[in-house]
Amino acid sequence: DAKHLVPNKMRDFFCTINLDQEEVFRTQVVEKSLSPYFGEEFYFEIPRTFQWLSFYIYDKSVLQKDLRIGKVSIKKEDLCNYTGKENWFMLQPVDSNSEVQGKVHLELKLNELITDNGSVCQQLVVHIKECHGLPLINGQNCDPYATVSLVGPSRNDQKKTKVKKKTSNPQFNETFYFEVTRSSSYTKKSQFQVEEEDIEKLEVRVDLWNNGNLVQDIFLGEIKVPVKVLRNDSFQAWYLLQPRENGNKSSKTDDLGSLRLNICYTEDCVLPSEYYTSLRNLLLKSSDVQPISASAGYILSEVCRDKCDAVLPLVRLLLHHHKLVPFVAAVAELDLKDTQEANTVFRGNSLATRCVDEMMKIVGKHYLKVTLKPVIDEICESPKPCEIDPIRLREGDNVEINMENLRYYVDKVFREIVRSSISCPTLMCDVFYSLRHLAAKRFPNDPHVQYSAVSSFVFLRFFAVAVVSPHTFHLRPHHPDAQTSRTLTLISKAIQTLGSWGSLTKSKLSSFKETFMCEFFKTFQEEKFTESVKKFLDDVSSTECKEPSGLSEPVHLKEGEMYKRAQGRTRIGKKNFKKRWFCLTSREFTYHKQQDKEPIFTIPIKNILAVEKLDESSFNKKNMFQVLHGEKPLYIQANNCVEASEWIEALCRVTRCNQKRLNFYHPSAFLNGNWLCCKATIENTVGCARCTADVPADTQIEIDGDRETERIYSLFTVNMSKLQKLEEACGSIAVYQGPRKEPDDYSNFTIEDSVATFHTLKQIIDAVEKLNESHEKYQKKRSSSAKYGSE
């Protein structure tokens, strides 16, 4: 959220998230506010290098261009200082001199020359090769050129490249020569020595500009290289463009307002898969270790300060290798040992409950969409008043009508849920089956505990949470407004209560704190709902084989608006780009003129031969990719680099098992009778570049096992002192057989079997130390090959 924004009057604001100058996400517009609450979460992989993560606040305008009020920009290197916590940031003014992105490739060299009159001079050679990743200007590729200057106290020699049209990755390949006369320094030595005091004062400056033609040129960034770093050497490197030194300085920065952000940024250096074998195997055999508290997976959750940090990579890794169900069953059994009453089964935030929560979020995405999205869309797009709390009622509200509206929504949501068991993923059913039977075994005299063990997850932690926060589960694009949020909260409370009716032994109505909710539920026929809940819980906790929902209806994977190159020709003979709505399911890839319209063009998934990036040079457009199928390639332009990466990944996953996938492709387009990449003149000739590496075949779960293991390695590394103290504690307990005195350092740890735990800890520490060595070797190799000015 933001506060005290300018101008000091009620306006409509929205916020964008940018990688350098490229917008990747945008919040909804908050109307008529000076302190807008956005309440939105965005999770994304960053597919390219970047310098700044920026957040821009805009004043929405209907007739004119949206006005940028201010920004918060955080350098990539500083993101770790703010991760995992909320921070208020003062908005900074938006200055064109500070809005830069991209990099430039230079080769610099000092040559010694003897002139015609016998004097000696030094010649500086600047070869500007290319630039990469320059920003879009007004949504279009820029027309860049560069100025190259040799700057000193008494000189400013400047030269200029040619303008390159419509490209963000210009190829300049121009060389410039600057003479620096030093005849007074000439000696008989074999090598010319440059005077230190002169070199200290000289620098090469390269400025990038967008050619404005009839309007003012736009500054794109600059780099400065001191000549002293060259000496008599020659080298080339990539340099990140920097803002001007006088950019972004203003005395009025305190007047723009502030923005509150909660940023979680992780950057992992993932080594080749074979490096993780020891640690990965140790984690994967966790469910086989007796007792489970001595396993690597359980120890990970014990040493991490926040269990959430450990649970997500652990669950994803176990899911990826089909080891999650036995691990959840083992930790759930340990959880039940400490549970004294049947009505508190799985109500805490233990390792077992957190693992099941994360599993449902990962595996149940499609299940939520097919079950709840239509009714959630109806509630959000055509909201009816549902407030039944007398204190919250506004003047003119009719509580009876509101109660009828709420009852209509609750009935509809409940009906969709209890009818959805056929769509419940098999993995979720397997987990619920294990939990149900473990709970019944722990409390054999309670007939209801088998239902409460499942309903505490599927109703309380899955459906009810998704109803109250649909944007978090990608059921809605944005956080709902205040009135709709209140309606969803009331529906969520009702769903939690109805879900518990099949498992409660005491009076249901006595569990309500609010009198108005008690009155509302008097209208429900308890027996009817109880039977529906029990039947649903029986179905989703059964291991009987069900036909996967993906066979009866296509799995919806991704949709959104992009641009595609026209398959036909316009009247003037040139192919153009048109905005279309794209939809990807497990059966077909389609595009439509508008959302919810019939498809204009359909490609069956089985017919897709390859999905690859397309060189920008093909059409002078960024973020393009191509879908190769039986006919001509379909060329598509995404709105930003994150969106392009997500679409390519989704399409690659769903087509991974196609038998006729290509091994080679053309990275550029076929234009004017030849392929731009290899100059071949036959359109159906074999590609000139090998297709990208294999990707996971799983169409619903996107998991990189090595990356998750690297994340777990990082957690173990950060908590190495705790591992060592726990190892010492286990050793002491194993040696000393008398009454146990638990030091503060490990009194909160679960040590059931000190010998087994000690053995696992030793293996973990050995595996982590080996990975430490591998990372150190990689860093040394990387630092030794780095040059001044390289990224």
Side-chain angles (χ1 to χ4, degrees), residues 573-618:
K574 292 184 179 180
K575 294 186 177 180
N576 57 4
F577 283 79
K578 295 179 180 179
K579 185 185 292 187
R580 292 290 182 259
W581 184 265
F582 287 81
C583 183
L584 174 65
T585 72
S586 56
R587 289 184 184 174
E588 58 191 21
F589 181 50
T590 60
Y591 63 76
H592 316 241
K593 213 164 193 179
Q594 294 176 345
Q595 187 179 5
D596 299 326
K597 298 291 186 181
E598 290 297 314
I600 301 174
F601 189 72
T602 300
I603 306 176
I605 293 300
K606 62 181 181 181
N607 292 352
I608 295 179
L609 307 176
V611 182
E612 299 289 344
K613 291 182 179 179
L614 186 71
D615 285 352
E616 179 193 323
S617 58
S618 299

Side-chain angles (χ1 to χ4, degrees), residues 110-111 244 582:
L110 276 173
N111 289 334
R244 276 183 176 166
F582 287 81

Side-chain angles (χ1 to χ4, degrees), residues 352-364:
T353 58
R354 289 173 184 261
C355 283
V356 178
D357 285 350
E358 289 299 334
M359 178 275 297
M360 292 190 297
K361 288 178 184 177
I362 297 169
V363 177

Side-chain angles (χ1 to χ4, degrees), residues 521-533:
F521 271 94
K522 286 181 180 178
T523 64
F524 286 75
Q525 295 179 8
E526 190 173 306
E527 293 76 13
K528 174 184 174 183
F529 284 89
T530 299
E531 289 305 313
S532 296
V533 169

Side-chain angles (χ1 to χ4, degrees), residues 132 180 183 242 295 321 383 540 588 669 682 692 696 744:
H132 183 79
V180 183
S183 57
Q242 302 296 325
S295 68
H321 292 278
V540 297
E588 58 191 21
I682 301 175
T692 50
D744 292 338

Side-chain angles (χ1 to χ4, degrees), residues 115-149:
T115 61
D116 293 339
N117 60 11
S119 62
V120 178
C121 69
Q122 283 259 317
Q123 183 185 61
L124 175 66
V125 182
V126 181
H127 180 192
I128 178 167
K129 294 188 172 185
E130 59 182 318
C131 291
H132 183 79
L134 298 181
L136 301 178
I137 304 296
N138 296 324
Q140 301 293 325
N141 281 330
C142 53
D143 296 336
Y145 69 90
T147 59
V148 183
S149 308

Side-chain angles (χ1 to χ4, degrees), residues 53 290 297 380 671:
L53 178 66
Q290 294 294 333
C380 293
L671 296 175

